Amino acid sequence: MDTDMHYRLLGPVEAWREGRRLALGGPKPRALLAALLLEPGRVVSADALIDAIWGDNPPDTARSLIQSYVSALRRALSADVIETQPPGYLIHADAEVVDRATFERLTA
């Protein structure tokens, strides 16, 4: 895992590496990244990702769009950060690289 990577969920969803913000694409890939970062190290099902991104009105192409977003995020972040694991995906990110976890730890 890339220890120079940092994720921001509080405010706009962002990923930073070595002090530089990475291009993640539009709101839907960012929503997918946020959904994965809320469950680091755990598989988030494709159905849960579809619900997180589109709610009750997903397009017929939602599953293929999820695959496209994951592919784009892998290019932006690193190929090994997001792992395909049935029935969905998981992100490899330690708590200390996600601002939400740091916030929760400091406020506890």
Side-chain angles (χ1 to χ4, degrees):
M1 185 179 60
D2 190 347
T3 57
D4 293 326
M5 183 73 79
H6 297 278
Y7 301 99
R8 295 183 181 165
L9 292 177
L10 305 176
V13 175
E14 297 177 337
W16 290 73
R17 180 182 295 124
E18 298 176 356
R20 291 191 350 223
R21 185 172 49 146
L22 303 177
L24 300 176
K28 289 181 175 45
R30 289 171 187 274
L32 187 146
L33 178 60
L36 292 174
L37 286 169
L38 289 172
E39 299 289 338
R42 295 184 182 161
V43 175
V44 180
S45 72
D47 289 338
L49 294 171
I50 290 168
D51 287 345
I53 295 171
W54 290 283
D56 293 334
N57 298 310
D60 293 338
T61 58
R63 288 196 183 278
S64 62
L65 287 169
I66 292 289
Q67 292 171 349
S68 295
Y69 299 155
V70 167
S71 179
L73 287 169
R74 284 177 174 152
R75 284 191 303 276
L77 303 173
S78 176
D80 61 347
V81 171
I82 300 174
E83 181 179 336
T84 302
Q85 215 176 80
Y89 302 90
L90 70 82
I91 191 162
H92 297 281
D94 292 331
E96 68 267 5
V97 300
V98 181
D99 67 349
R100 175 181 171 252
T102 302
F103 174 78
E104 289 174 347
R105 181 177 43 83
L106 292 172
T107 58

